Amino acid sequence: MRRWNGWGSDEIEVHLPPPALTYVAEVLGPSRRGPSADFNKILQRIPDSRLRNHPLVSVDPGLRLRHARGHSLPDWIALRFGTIDCFPDGVAQPASEEEVANLIAYANETGTRLIPYGGGTSVVGHINPPADGQPVLTVCMEKLRRMSQLDKTSWLATFDAGVMGPHLEAQLRAHGYTLGHFPQSFEYSTLGGWIATRSVGQQSLYYGRIEDLFAGGRMIAPAGTLDLPFFPASAAGPDLRQIVLGSEGRLGVITQATVRINPLPEREKFHAVFFPDWNHGIAAVQEIAQARLALSMLRLSNAIETSTTLLLAENERLVRLLHRLLRARGLGTKKCMLILGVTGGNDAVRKARRSALEIARSHGGIHVGRMIGSEWRKSRFRTPYLRNTLWDHGYAVDTLETSFLWKELPVAIDAIIKALHEGLSSVNERVLAFAHISHVYLTGASTYVTYLYRLAPTAEETLARWQMLKAAASQVIVAHGGTISHQHGIGVDHLPWVEAEKGELGLHTLAKLTKVFDPEGIMNPGKLVDMRKL
């Protein structure tokens, strides 16, 4: 069963090696065990539902609690400390588009807020009920998961939007195809959620972002149904798919999606390359990206993330041998690791690998083979479980992501890390922060930053520390011309910084769109755009 207040299956535990835990304690200071509120005690505080009876709606308190929050750090703080005070009044699990339309009509007629719910993996507050006094219905899409059409000639497949990553891939792979969309939340997130938040998979360099894969589909809104037929190309005005992409449940419920698929690749390998330092690595990654090689991934970790990754490795003997080899080649404590993915036909993979490694060597890169890359691939969906482990040891973990032009990227990343390191100095607390580049483009790259700090004795203090760090980093991102979100959407956590990117007219345009599709304002209010400020 999935954890109600943590990541993933309650049958999976990922332990920290003792050297890694010692390192965290040395950097941040020792900490007491993190709190874990009692499920049944919270159930006793859930108020009675305010919803009018409906045959598709359950008001079971346990179901309401399990659908009350996502996986942002503020969500975890509320759930783990037991301070959560806002719950959906009911949860519906429709099994057809007709039932989705029925639920939207019911919500519209009764003045009920409606929150579309995919896998519940949002890290920026997409699925949180608003505390505005109105009843709230969460619509969980998990029963809508079938593949209804497979076009092997045109390489297209149509799915219900509630299908989760593993089930989607299993249905395609049975026929020799793949979507190739592998975000870190892959095991629990849904196709509809990927579209609604403009998700990016780890191998986007080869397969594309979700906007490249989303070919058409259907969204049911309070004002009606928007059908998006697929065309190989069209010049018939603005592309309405762009309205649905990133809509975050504000316009309607995505019920069906047609996606571009690929035959399973003949070959796929992940190689590890180490560079003398961060700047050598960035220069190499930029040149490789702009060479347009047939790669699927370039993931460059800075020195702290590299050392942390190696500390977490289970094979200590292999790591010791690796350090010895790299020291002999002149690489010391500033070394940075690149995981390089090659995917495709045999010939294309060989050529891309050879060209990429030649460029890497010209920047001081040392290729150490495939073992580290293979280990990364095997464990890539287990990393989020470390949030559970670190919390239990008394440390909070959060991430932020953005993208910059190449010319801004090195300075901007350094500025973000500096802002995080100094972000809690006013309360005499330290922060551990590290970063990697994980999605590259001709013009720039995305940056993914992980940061840790000690839990405070209370939920209020712990949340205040997060707010200080989030604000400090976000202000740096905006100041350096970065996007406030490269892959996680807006939700509620990024609302204060959206205007810097969209501008006043852009925000008014989004607000007008919500009025067109949702005249009464019942769809996931408070997310994407703050109507109170317009």
Side-chain angles (χ1 to χ4, degrees):
M1 180 180 288
R2 287 180 65 177
R3 288 179 171 87
W4 69 276
N5 65 352
W7 181 261
S9 168
D10 58 12
E11 296 180 354
I12 298 176
E13 298 283 348
V14 177
H15 299 285
L16 274 173
L21 187 57
T22 299
Y23 170 68
V24 172
E26 287 175 350
V27 173
L28 300 180
S31 187
R32 63 178 63 86
R33 184 172 178 82
S36 184
D38 183 86
F39 184 82
N40 291 316
K41 287 185 178 179
I42 296 179
L43 285 187
Q44 295 170 13
R45 296 195 286 102
I46 297 179
D48 292 338
S49 173
R50 298 165 292 179
L51 293 177
R52 187 185 303 172
N53 288 340
H54 188 284
L56 295 174
V57 177
S58 170
V59 297
D60 174 73
L63 198 61
R64 291 166 61 191
L65 174 52
R66 289 184 179 277
H67 289 80
R69 290 294 184 104
H71 285 277
S72 71
L73 188 51
D75 292 342
W76 274 46
I77 292 169
L79 290 169
R80 289 287 187 126
F81 277 94
T83 57
I84 181 171
D85 59 2
C86 195
F87 308 86
D89 291 270
V91 178
Q93 297 170 306
S96 68
E97 289 186 318
E98 291 74 21
E99 290 184 352
V100 172
N102 183 309
L103 290 164
I104 291 175
Y106 159 81
N108 219 19
E109 291 165 4
T110 59
T112 299
R113 308 301 198 202
L114 190 149
I115 300 176
Y117 184 105
T121 60
S122 167
V123 294
V124 291
H126 284 115
I127 58 174
N128 299 3
D132 62 358
Q134 296 295 110
V136 176
L137 171 64
T138 292
V139 176
C140 177
M141 300 291 286
E142 65 180 16
K143 292 184 178 179
L144 288 164
R145 57 184 184 177
R146 70 190 177 101
M147 181 172 68
S148 59
Q149 186 175 357
L150 176 64
D151 183 344
K152 295 183 178 181
T153 303
S154 305
W155 291 4
L156 295 170
T158 300
F159 289 91
D160 293 339
V163 64
M164 289 187 179
H167 193 204
L168 180 149
E169 279 294 323
Q171 292 180 81
L172 287 176
R173 285 170 183 260
H175 298 277
Y177 293 90
T178 180
L179 181 63
H181 191 75
F182 304 112
Q184 195 169 68
S185 62
F186 169 78
E187 294 177 309
Y188 298 105
S189 53
T190 64
L191 175 58
W194 299 342
I195 294 165
T197 58
R198 300 187 81 102
S199 169
V200 184
Q202 292 169 339
Q203 292 172 257
S204 63
L205 189 57
Y206 181 81
Y207 293 107
R209 297 165 58 97
I210 196 64
E211 56 260 44
D212 304 311
L213 301 171
F214 177 48
R218 183 176 297 123
M219 182 178 72
I220 301 177
T225 298
L226 177 66
D227 281 304
L228 299 167
F230 172 71
F231 305 98
S234 172
D239 188 347
L240 295 180
R241 289 176 305 163
Q242 296 298 327
I243 293 175
V244 176
L245 284 158
S247 56
E248 302 192 7
R250 286 303 306 269
L251 308 182
V253 179
I254 301 166
T255 58
Q256 187 183 100
T258 298
V259 289
R260 299 176 176 91
I261 59 176
N262 287 274
L264 287 169
E266 292 180 334
R267 190 173 181 85
E268 183 167 84
K269 300 295 180 183
F270 293 85
H271 298 258
V273 179
F274 284 83
F275 293 93
D277 55 41
W278 184 232
N279 288 333
H280 279 81
I282 291 176
V285 168
Q286 178 182 347
E287 186 174 343
I288 293 170
Q290 293 176 337
R292 300 175 185 265
L293 301 179
L295 305 174
S296 60
M297 192 181 78
L298 290 166
R299 180 189 176 102
L300 177 70
S301 297
N302 73 355
I304 297 178
E305 182 168 291
T306 296
S307 62
T308 302
T309 300
L310 295 177
L311 270 175
L312 293 172
E314 295 180 359
N315 192 330
E316 293 184 26
R317 180 176 175 274
L318 174 64
V319 171
R320 286 197 300 270
L321 290 172
L322 177 65
H323 282 307
R324 191 179 305 162
L325 167 68
L326 295 175
R327 279 197 301 269
R329 301 287 297 273
L331 273 63
T333 57
K334 293 183 179 181
K335 61 181 176 291
C336 294
M337 180 175 69
L338 170 69
I339 302 294
L340 184 151
V342 284
T343 301
N346 287 322
D347 289 343
V349 163
R350 281 193 292 268
K351 291 177 182 177
R353 171 188 171 279
R354 184 169 58 249
S355 297
L357 292 179
E358 285 177 359
I359 294 172
R361 279 193 292 271
S362 73
H363 291 274
I366 298 173
H367 179 218
V368 297
R370 299 201 307 262
M371 187 174 294
I372 292 175
S374 297
E375 288 299 313
W376 173 85
R377 185 187 186 185
K378 283 192 294 185
S379 63
R380 60 177 167 171
F381 302 131
R382 294 174 67 87
T383 303
Y385 284 91
L386 287 172
R387 294 182 72 191
N388 302 328
T389 308
L390 284 161
W391 182 282
D392 289 342
H393 284 287
Y395 301 98
V397 183
D398 197 23
T399 61
L400 57 90
E401 38 78 32
T402 179
S403 65
F404 297 101
L405 296 174
W406 286 116
K407 66 177 183 178
E408 292 283 348
L409 190 139
V411 172
I413 296 176
D414 287 348
I416 293 171
I417 297 293
K418 183 174 186 291
L420 290 170
H421 280 162
E422 299 174 354
L424 298 183
S425 58
S426 63
V427 292
N428 296 316
E429 288 291 328
R430 289 169 282 173
V431 178
L432 172 61
F434 45 83
H436 65 254
I437 293 169
S438 53
H439 303 278
V440 300
Y441 309 94
L442 295 178
T443 55
S446 74
T447 301
Y448 195 91
V449 178
T450 301
Y451 59 97
L452 291 73
Y453 64 92
R454 287 198 301 185
L455 298 173
T458 67
E460 292 76 16
E461 290 176 87
T462 304
L463 181 61
R465 292 178 184 181
W466 173 82
Q467 289 168 333
M468 286 190 283
L469 293 171
K470 184 70 172 179
S474 297
Q475 288 162 8
V476 170
I477 288 171
V478 171
H480 285 269
T483 176
I484 198 60
S485 178
H486 172 265
Q487 65 210 57
H488 288 156
I490 301 303
V492 294
D493 293 352
H494 290 151
L495 276 178
W497 297 279
V498 175
E499 187 172 358
E501 185 165 334
K502 301 297 183 187
E504 184 178 355
L505 180 58
L507 290 182
H508 278 284
T509 301
L510 290 176
K512 291 290 186 182
L513 274 175
T514 66
K515 288 291 187 181
V516 170
F517 284 87
D518 177 24
E520 301 302 319
I522 66 166
M523 296 300 306
N524 209 13
K527 320 302 174 8
L528 183 63
V529 56
D530 190 347
M531 304 291 279
R532 297 169 301 178
K533 295 183 178 180
L534 297 176

